[in-house]
């Protein structure tokens, strides 16, 4: 079985989860479910980034220890992932023993390769971004990325010879056009690297919340060196090399655009130095604003996914995030738009289609329909191969928006097919029973296919549709064709989506 290893960033525990965290994690879940459905051996990992100065500072301000803070906040993440139907296979916390071992092991490899030396770091640091910043990078004396205040550091530090890898990294990016996506982001990284890579400070001495440098306990390892290594820990490095070699390299690291440089510059050069293969793809998605404004605690407009889900349901939320904005671009979250899509696309287009089709099978055929003798795909099912191929291509390139567009044009087509073929007229004429059966069978096939295509996005709805069609709960690659010889024993249920007063 072919493997597929996908990761999310591991989230800082200084903050509780919001829509930004949910977005990356749901995206990874969609991909993981899709690949499992297609028969892949999937490893899908997420987790929490618990070390570093930022977490230590927050804990101090809350008068708790960093591990108390982490233990408290990690529950918030785990609970949210349950609520959002996230199907991760592992959840890594950087304070776990297995992770400490992995970080020590990769640090040692890099050191043995002659890429770590002791020096002194004298420059700026942005704690919210956990980034070292040079004088010339400052913008009005502030962090060029987040615009917040920076602090002056002057301390002994271990350095990683990143400068050594500039050419190799550029070559790798050029030879592997899909290593960094989307393309605009790749171009940003290429010009950053061409601008020159400096050696990177990878240890700190002025606080203690981290993994000690092997052989020099006065230092803790830089939190990004620590955090990025989680991707190795999860697949068994260094103790279970058989498992590691099976899953590594990762097929996709999904991240937000703000942390691209760490993933597309630092991470590959660490791996090159450690003599390990590079991930196949790093995909950076865009950022959400909220009702047109940047999301921030001070504005008080941070979207809590728990609340949205309680009010509108998990599948509507998952669907909305990926229908509203092409993956890779920035987008704006608004409740008006969410409601509009629930009413139009979910309750109306999809919900009504399911309910009227199943009602007709109940009413006209006593609740079950089998493939009629000599049946051929008709109506919307004639184009189903194109649909499936378009969907697969879109999904394989993380183009969720296009995949959903394919599905919703199919849904409209099926709705038009019903209007055109007027089963309610045929039902009045016993002589036309054969025609009627054929049309309703076609509808059931269409519903089966729709249920399977929406399943990665809306797992609950996909499964419920299958239940109502009398099928087993999870779709598989077998469902990726029309004209299966199924017998559908249907069951009508409550509306899949409730309309909302606008
Ligand atoms: N701990 C690091 C990642 C280490 S990975 C080895 C980190 N954590 S984080 O908690 O700050 O969250 C990061 C993720 O949330 C990023 O992918 C980031 O892009 C995403 N988002 C945070 N706010 C966001 C929006 N407003 N919109 C979309 N995603 C956003 O960085």
């Amino acid at each position: 079985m072919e493997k597929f290893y996908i990761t999310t960033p591991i989230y800082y525990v200084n903050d509780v989860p919001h829509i930004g965290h949910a977005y990356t994690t749901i995206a990874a879940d969609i991909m993981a479910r899709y690949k499992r459905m297609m028969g892949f051996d999937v490893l899908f990992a997420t987790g929490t980034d618990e070390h570093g100065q930022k977490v230590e500072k927050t804990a101090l301000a809350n008068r708790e220890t960093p591990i108390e803070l982490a233990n408290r906040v990690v529950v918030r993440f785990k609970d949210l992932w349950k609520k959002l139907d996230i199907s991760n296979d592992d959840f890594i916390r950087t304070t776990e023993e297995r992770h400490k071992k992995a970080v020590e092991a990769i640090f040692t490899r890099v050191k043995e390769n002659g890429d770590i030396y002791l020096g002194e770091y004298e420059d700026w640091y942005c704690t919210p971004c956990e980034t070292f910043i040079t004088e010339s990078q400052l913008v009005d004396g502030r962090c060029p990325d987040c615009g917040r205040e920076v602090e002056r550091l002057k301390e002994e530090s271990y350095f990683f010879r990143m400068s050594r890898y500039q050419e190799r990294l550029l070559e790798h990016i050029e030879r592997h056009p899909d290593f960094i996506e989307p393309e605009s982001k790749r171009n940003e990284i290429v010009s950053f690297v061409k601008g020159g890579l400096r050696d990177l400070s990878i240890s700190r001495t002025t606080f203690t919340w981290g993994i000690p440098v092997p052989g020099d306990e006065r230092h803790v390892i830089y939190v990004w060196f620590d955090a990025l290594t989680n991707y190795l820990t999860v697949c068994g490095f260094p103790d279970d090399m058989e498992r590691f070699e099976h899953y590594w390299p990762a097929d996709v690291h999904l991240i937000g655009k703000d942390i691209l440089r760490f993933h597309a510059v630092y991470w590959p050069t660490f791996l090159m130095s450690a003599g390990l293969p590079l991930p196949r793809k790093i995909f950076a998605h865009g950022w959400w604003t909220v009702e047109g404004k940047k999301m921030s605690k001070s504005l008080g407009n941070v979207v809590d996914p728990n609340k949205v889900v309680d009010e509108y349901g998990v599948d509507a939320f998952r669907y909305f995030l990926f229908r509203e904005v092409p993956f890779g671009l920035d987008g704006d979250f608004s409740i008006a738009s969410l409601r509009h899509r629930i009413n139009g696309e979910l309750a109306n287009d999809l919900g009504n289609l399911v309910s009227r089709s199943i009602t007709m099978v109940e009413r006209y055929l006593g609740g079950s329909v089998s493939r009629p003798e000599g049946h051929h795909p008709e109506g919307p099912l004639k184009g189903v191969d194109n649909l499936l191929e378009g969907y697969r291509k879109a999904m394989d390139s993380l183009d969720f928006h296009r995949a959903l567009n394919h599905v919703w044009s199919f849904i409209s087509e099926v709705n038009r097919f019903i209007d055109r073929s007027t089963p309610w007229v045929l039902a009045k004429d016993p002589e036309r029973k054969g025609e009627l059966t054929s049309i309703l069978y076609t509808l059931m096939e269409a519903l089966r296919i729709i249920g399977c295509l929406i399943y990665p996005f809306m797992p609950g709805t996909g499964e419920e549709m299958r239940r109502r069609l009398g099928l087993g709960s999870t779709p598989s690659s077998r469902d990726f064709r029309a004209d299966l010889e199924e017998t559908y024993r249907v069951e009508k249920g409550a509306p899949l989506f409730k309309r909302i007063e606008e």
Side-chain angles (χ1 to χ4, degrees):
M1 219 201 290
E2 208 182 327
K3 67 91 186 178
F4 184 78
Y5 176 28
I6 185 164
T7 66
T8 73
I10 50 172
Y11 305 108
Y12 288 128
V13 289
N14 67 302
D15 200 3
V16 297
H18 57 58
I19 187 179
H21 307 113
Y23 187 48
T24 328
T25 311
I26 297 171
D29 186 63
I30 290 170
M31 213 48 203
R33 286 179 184 274
Y34 163 69
K35 287 288 182 180
R36 283 190 206 107
M37 174 165 85
M38 301 316 280
F40 283 70
D41 163 15
V42 171
L43 175 59
F44 163 27
T46 187
T48 40
D49 190 352
E50 306 188 354
H51 289 132
Q53 194 170 6
K54 170 154 86 173
V55 170
E56 193 185 80
K57 263 193 179 165
T58 308
L60 214 71
N62 292 343
R63 301 195 190 183
E64 55 190 342
T65 60
I67 194 67
E68 282 167 351
L69 170 67
N71 287 341
R72 199 162 51 73
V73 176
V74 74
V75 179
R76 301 284 294 267
F77 279 97
K78 287 187 170 172
D79 286 350
L80 179 61
W81 300 155
K82 264 194 220 124
K83 192 164 187 159
L84 293 178
D85 263 339
I86 301 302
S87 64
N88 54 302
D89 302 292
D90 199 345
F91 187 102
I92 170 106
R93 301 181 56 178
T94 54
T95 47
E96 288 170 54
E97 194 53 36
R98 58 171 175 159
H99 179 67
K100 183 168 178 237
K101 272 190 162 173
V103 173
E104 287 169 352
I106 183 173
F107 190 96
T108 306
R109 277 188 180 221
V110 172
K111 189 166 176 205
E112 281 168 357
N113 194 22
D115 283 335
I116 290 179
Y117 61 92
L118 192 60
E120 188 180 70
Y121 181 82
E122 186 177 0
D123 236 323
W124 301 95
Y125 193 77
C126 172
T127 309
C129 294
E130 299 277 19
T131 316
F132 298 95
I133 297 165
T134 62
E135 183 78 35
S136 63
Q137 288 170 330
L138 292 180
V139 175
D140 299 329
R142 288 166 168 265
C143 171
D145 292 327
C146 73
R148 278 176 282 205
E149 262 172 42
V150 290
E151 63 182 301
R152 187 77 189 167
L153 301 185
K154 180 174 176 9
E155 61 188 69
E156 184 184 280
S157 174
Y158 284 96
F159 284 83
F160 167 61
R161 283 189 212 283
M162 196 158 70
S163 55
R164 237 192 184 176
Y165 295 93
Q166 177 168 339
E167 287 317 311
R168 264 180 72 185
L169 179 58
L170 278 173
E171 209 176 289
H172 184 86
I173 298 174
E174 259 146 46
R175 280 215 197 129
H176 303 85
D178 45 13
F179 178 54
I180 303 168
E181 285 182 350
E183 198 182 336
S184 60
K185 297 288 173 234
R186 176 174 68 235
N187 298 339
E188 280 174 33
I189 291 296
V190 167
S191 50
F192 176 81
V193 179
K194 282 191 175 152
L197 289 188
R198 299 154 36 103
D199 289 351
L200 180 71
S201 168
I202 52 162
S203 77
R204 299 286 310 275
T205 56
T206 49
F207 67 97
T208 56
W209 184 235
I211 298 173
V213 165
D216 190 349
E217 310 259 308
R218 297 168 304 136
H219 289 249
V220 293
I221 293 176
Y222 174 40
V223 64
W224 272 103
F225 189 96
D226 169 341
L228 288 160
T229 304
N230 92 85
Y231 301 134
L232 304 180
T233 313
V234 160
C235 46
F237 184 82
D239 283 347
D240 187 349
M241 289 309 275
E242 202 178 313
R243 178 178 155 83
F244 177 72
E245 268 151 33
H246 177 64
Y247 285 112
W248 189 260
D251 294 271
V252 189
H253 289 319
L254 274 188
I255 56 167
K257 62 179 184 178
D258 54 317
I259 54 175
L260 180 59
R261 194 187 310 153
F262 303 99
H263 282 82
V265 181
Y266 297 4
W267 183 225
T269 57
F270 297 161
L271 289 167
M272 283 174 177
S273 171
L276 296 170
L278 306 195
R280 300 224 162 91
K281 186 193 298 301
I282 299 157
F283 189 101
H285 65 66
W287 267 48
W288 288 93
T289 50
V290 176
E291 315 276 352
K293 294 204 185 70
K294 194 175 165 186
M295 195 166 65
S296 83
K297 276 191 203 158
S298 46
L299 286 176
N301 64 346
V302 176
V303 176
D304 176 358
N306 288 290
K307 290 206 181 122
V308 182
V309 169
D310 290 342
E311 192 160 353
Y312 300 99
V314 57
D315 280 359
F317 178 60
R318 290 177 57 121
Y319 169 78
F320 176 77
L321 294 178
F322 295 91
R323 188 77 201 276
E324 181 78 351
V325 178
F327 199 52
L329 301 185
D330 292 339
D332 185 52
F333 183 85
S334 90
I335 291 292
S337 178
L338 170 65
R339 293 175 161 210
H340 190 69
R341 288 191 185 275
I342 292 177
N343 286 345
E345 292 153 16
L346 296 180
N348 204 39
D349 299 346
L350 174 61
N352 280 349
L353 170 63
V354 172
S355 111
R356 65 175 173 156
S357 308
I358 288 183
T359 305
M360 289 190 287
V361 174
E362 277 192 335
R363 195 173 292 162
Y364 306 142
L365 301 176
S368 104
V369 56
S370 304
R371 181 174 177 274
E373 197 81 36
H375 177 83
H376 291 296
E378 58 177 335
L381 290 185
K382 276 197 219 141
V384 89
D385 289 340
N386 283 339
L387 163 74
L388 295 174
E389 184 174 303
Y391 174 89
R392 265 201 303 255
K393 272 199 185 142
M395 293 298 278
D396 284 329
S397 49
L398 295 135
D399 194 344
F400 304 129
H401 189 253
R402 190 153 54 92
L404 286 173
N405 283 343
H406 282 301
V407 182
W408 257 259
S409 5
F410 184 63
I411 290 175
S412 308
E413 219 182 298
V414 181
N415 272 317
R416 283 195 302 270
F417 172 70
I418 300 182
D419 299 342
R420 202 169 60 228
S421 48
T422 57
W424 45 90
V425 174
L426 304 183
K428 289 189 188 134
D429 183 351
E431 304 226 316
R432 300 182 80 181
K433 177 98 187 248
E435 242 177 286
L436 176 67
T437 307
S438 186
I439 287 167
L440 295 184
Y441 178 76
T442 295
L443 285 179
M444 295 302 101
E445 283 278 282
L447 290 192
R448 175 180 57 77
I449 289 167
I450 293 166
C452 124
L453 303 186
I454 64 164
Y455 167 80
F457 296 89
M458 300 189 277
T461 306
E463 282 173 359
E464 177 59 18
M465 278 177 67
R466 290 180 67 83
R467 211 185 53 73
R468 292 185 188 184
L469 296 177
L471 306 172
S473 72
T474 39
S476 69
S477 59
R478 177 180 175 271
D479 285 292
F480 269 67
R481 49 174 275 224
D483 216 18
L484 290 185
E485 297 194 18
E486 298 279 10
T487 294
Y488 294 96
R489 288 194 186 75
V490 303
E491 190 189 315
K492 204 171 172 214
L496 287 176
F497 297 93
K498 282 196 216 83
R499 279 189 68 84
I500 296 155
E501 294 300 320
E502 278 187 84

